[in-house]
Amino acid sequence: MNAAWEPGAAGVLRLPSGRMVRGRGLGFPLPEGPVPGFALYLLGHQPPPVAWEARWVRWPDFRLPSDPAAAREALCEALARAGAERVEVACLGGRGRTGTALACLAVLDGVPSGEAVAYVREHYSPHAVETPPQHRFVARFR
């Protein structure tokens, strides 16, 4: 398990399986403590290089991923790696795209799609998932 990602730490979402994923906004300083082993960046443009392994999904602000199949594949990889590594999911603000991705991870981890947004809002941020299309994306995610 990734013990360095503490339950209850700012931005860390504990999924029903016990896996933990840190969500954050890239527009804010990197949190103190350990760095991710793997990161999934959700941006409309390629992110700057980082010192850890990262994957980029083209996902414009306030919108949906440009390639939903690629996004699903990246989310499946993030979930699988969260079992043994520190995994971070991030967009610029850490709410809309990050919250949507975290809700999709929750669905992949067993939360019913109709309850995933509420789960992420309760356990990550009350402001997660910002737009009606993002809500629908999670509701239809399987």
Side-chain angles (χ1 to χ4, degrees):
M1 181 62 72
N2 44 23
W5 261 204
E6 301 279 334
V12 175
L13 173 68
R14 180 186 284 272
L15 294 165
S17 65
R19 294 176 181 161
M20 292 181 280
V21 178
R22 179 173 74 189
R24 79 175 179 102
L26 296 171
F28 302 98
L30 183 67
E32 289 187 26
V35 298
F38 175 75
L40 178 57
Y41 295 130
L42 316 167
L43 298 167
H45 55 82
Q46 189 165 3
V50 290
W52 46 87
E53 189 177 351
R55 185 166 177 179
W56 167 50
V57 170
R58 184 180 302 276
W59 192 327
D61 201 8
F62 296 107
R63 311 227 18 223
L64 299 176
S66 298
D67 183 342
R72 186 180 200 297
E73 180 184 305
L75 290 164
C76 287
E77 179 181 2
L79 181 63
R81 294 179 76 157
E85 298 177 65
R86 292 183 305 271
V87 172
E88 145 174 298
V89 175
C91 63
L92 188 61
R95 293 182 175 183
R97 294 168 284 184
T98 296
T100 302
L102 291 174
C104 291
L105 288 175
V107 170
L108 290 171
D109 202 54
V111 175
S113 58
E115 299 171 20
V117 171
Y119 182 89
V120 171
R121 286 183 171 171
E122 179 181 348
H123 299 285
Y124 170 68
S125 168
H127 306 288
V129 188
E130 295 176 315
T131 69
Q134 290 171 346
H135 280 265
R136 286 191 297 275
F137 185 79
V138 173
R140 294 176 182 149
F141 192 81
R142 302 283 182 262

